Amino acid sequence: MADLSIDLAGIRSPNPFWLASAPPTNSGYQVMRAFKAGWGGAVWKTLGDPIVNVTSRFAGIGYGTGRMMGMNNIELITDRPLEDNLREIAECKAAYPDRAIIASLMMEMSRERWHDLVNAVQAVPIDGFELNFGCPHGMSERGMGSAVGQDPELIELCTRWVVEVSRVPVIVKLTPNITDVRVAARAAVRGGAHAISMINTINSLIGVDLESWNPVPNVDGRGAHGGYCGPAVKPIALNMVADCARDAQVRIPISGIGGIATWKDAAEFMLMGSSTVQVCTSVMHHGFGIVEDMIDGLSNYLDERGIGSVREIVGKSVPKFGDWNDLSLDYRIVASIDPLSCIGCNKCYIACEDAAHQCIDRLTDPLGETTLVVDSEHCVGCNLCQMVCPVEDCITMVRVDDGSKATTWRDRSLAPAT
């Protein structure tokens, strides 16, 4: 079996699957259950000045028959006393010394108060800190969370305060509610962060009840913006991870977060630069037991490819991800429809005719039978027909250029005028 152990800036765990700081890491009881199930690490629900949470905190959005494709929450940081959390952290670490326990922290912009919190928490055995500069609701209105994460100067300053007194690695958790996440990541690096994690939740309102006209969720008829997460945010998170992984001014390890539900999701994040991955929504949907399939799936994937350690795949796809201007303008693919597996639903024809480039023809033979045929001369290879086709492998995209040229837009812009 491939070695799944991982090292994130000196934080070691037996596998890369961590629980994100969230309701599933609210107590020692939950973290113990998670470790027993096989999770390699846990980021404890954010510690700071305990707050009072509201009732009615979560809302989900489905797609078709799928539940919780996205999730919104208006829950804030821990509402439990710090001493209770610290006692339970120590108990968990004693019971599972090989698992990574990272304390998520949030505090007002005061050097003294940050020092006090860090020193109090590292009085118990922990493996690292994660600074919550991402929470987009509730705490941000109080000058914390994403209010810090959206200001590079505050990120750098606050990170430096923590690094001054921390005896363990410091991870900075970044908000996606920003124009360019690389700016925030660079600020964390300047402040001395040992790693970054991303993404925190996306600012959102998940819906409105059309009967009562109340926002969803509502607290006694009133709503507020919350944090959006779940499988629907994965593409956004993966892009931000990739952007930071390829940025020459970042160059510190990444813990990937955002819509991770399967071992395949985890492998994609690792290929794009994540050393570990953090999971929340999928656990809230299916429970801690999902980690068993994640471990088995990733192990089998590595074994089948003859890869001895999961560390070998970290960042391997990053060199293949870049700017649009560097893509080949000579590469060409066209769609090909298998008439034997086509069920004649016409989804590809409708999509191409109404929303793409009108490159699929419907041909009718003398018996009245209709066949869908691609006009390969005019097909632009957009992939839409393949995406809407309900039959697997009925439509394939076939390369038709000879691969002899790979002119990019950047090449054209640099070429002398003729």
Side-chain angles (χ1 to χ4, degrees):
M1 180 180 292
D3 179 11
L4 295 188
S5 66
I6 206 74
D7 183 311
L8 179 92
I11 303 173
R12 296 178 176 83
S13 60
N15 63 60
F17 302 113
W18 293 2
L19 292 174
S21 174
T25 61
N26 186 52
S27 68
Y29 169 77
Q30 292 167 283
V31 173
M32 290 265 204
R33 282 176 53 82
F35 287 165
K36 184 177 181 181
W39 291 88
V43 184
W44 209 271
K45 186 169 171 63
T46 304
L47 308 175
D49 291 331
I51 48 78
V52 177
N53 270 303
V54 295
T55 297
S56 186
R57 306 174 188 178
F58 306 144
I61 187 167
Y63 186 79
T65 59
R67 305 282 287 179
M68 283 177 64
M69 288 298 294
M71 176 180 166
N72 173 283
N73 86 90
I74 56 172
E75 182 168 304
L76 304 184
I77 69 172
T78 185
D79 53 13
R80 305 169 62 231
L82 181 62
E83 54 269 23
D84 291 351
N85 281 297
L86 296 184
R87 183 185 67 254
E88 293 172 15
I89 288 173
E91 292 169 353
C92 288
K93 194 61 184 174
Y96 292 91
D98 66 325
R99 310 302 169 90
I101 298 182
I102 294 88
S104 175
L105 305 181
M106 183 184 292
M107 183 50 67
E108 63 184 270
M109 286 301 298
S110 162
R111 181 171 181 263
E112 181 181 3
R113 296 219 62 201
W114 269 105
H115 281 189
D116 289 345
L117 179 60
V118 169
N119 285 324
V121 175
Q122 64 185 2
V124 300
I126 56 167
D127 297 290
F129 290 119
E130 183 181 81
L131 311 187
N132 185 344
F133 297 159
C135 183
H137 57 277
M139 306 308 293
S140 58
E141 291 91 326
R142 309 176 197 193
M144 293 177 274
S146 63
V148 176
Q150 292 168 340
D151 187 328
E153 291 185 4
L154 295 183
I155 293 173
E156 180 180 350
L157 180 61
C158 195
T159 302
R160 184 172 289 114
W161 289 342
V162 173
V163 171
E164 285 173 349
V165 293
S166 175
R167 298 191 296 270
V168 295
V170 175
I171 306 167
V172 170
K173 188 173 186 179
L174 302 177
T175 177
N177 303 298
I178 194 167
T179 304
D180 188 342
V181 73
R182 295 172 298 178
V183 175
R186 294 166 188 166
V189 171
R190 291 194 301 271
H194 304 97
I196 51 177
S197 60
M198 67 183 83
I199 59 173
N200 208 310
T201 53
I202 301 171
N203 220 345
S204 62
L205 168 62
I206 210 157
V208 178
D209 186 302
L210 295 181
E211 295 299 321
S212 65
W213 296 359
N214 288 334
V216 179
N218 80 86
V219 179
D220 197 19
R222 292 187 61 83
H225 64 98
Y228 190 55
C229 55
V233 311
K234 175 191 164 188
I236 299 169
L238 193 59
N239 175 65
M240 290 190 173
V241 165
D243 270 349
C244 287
R246 69 188 181 97
D247 190 280
Q249 298 180 55
V250 179
R251 299 302 187 205
I252 57 175
I254 299 171
S255 184
I257 315 168
I260 298 165
T262 68
W263 72 264
K264 291 182 179 180
D265 297 329
E268 290 179 47
F269 270 80
M270 298 188 80
L271 286 166
M272 275 300 177
S274 298
S275 295
T276 65
V277 293
Q278 298 184 32
V279 182
C280 170
T281 307
S282 190
V283 166
M284 297 181 76
H285 193 179
H286 302 292
F288 292 131
I290 63 169
V291 76
E292 296 179 15
D293 287 339
M294 298 174 88
I295 291 171
D296 290 344
L298 185 58
S299 295
N300 292 336
Y301 172 75
L302 297 173
D303 289 344
E304 289 169 2
R305 300 178 72 92
I307 299 173
S309 169
V310 70
R311 304 184 196 196
E312 296 178 39
I313 73 170
V314 174
K316 290 301 183 183
S317 293
V318 174
K320 299 184 177 185
F321 185 73
D323 297 331
W324 190 97
N325 289 336
D326 294 319
L327 301 178
S328 172
L329 300 176
D330 297 304
Y331 177 77
R332 186 163 182 254
I333 57 174
V334 299
S336 175
I337 303 173
D338 177 13
L340 297 179
S341 58
C342 177
I343 60 175
C345 67
N346 287 319
K347 285 185 176 295
C348 63
Y349 172 80
I350 295 168
C352 187
E353 195 72 10
D354 293 352
H357 297 274
Q358 302 80 52
C359 299
I360 297 179
D361 298 322
R362 289 193 295 189
L363 305 181
T364 305
D365 65 19
L367 298 178
E369 295 292 327
T370 300
T371 302
L372 297 173
V373 178
V374 175
D375 177 358
S376 58
E377 183 180 351
H378 297 100
C379 176
V380 302
C382 70
N383 303 323
L384 180 61
C385 58
Q386 183 186 52
M387 291 159 58
V388 302
C389 180
V391 180
E392 188 172 359
D393 296 329
C394 176
I395 299 179
T396 54
M397 306 304 296
V398 180
R399 184 171 186 175
V400 294
D401 73 289
D402 62 9
S404 62
K405 295 189 298 181
T407 308
T408 69
W409 183 260
R410 196 180 304 278
D411 294 331
R412 286 191 176 186
S413 66
L414 296 175
T418 57

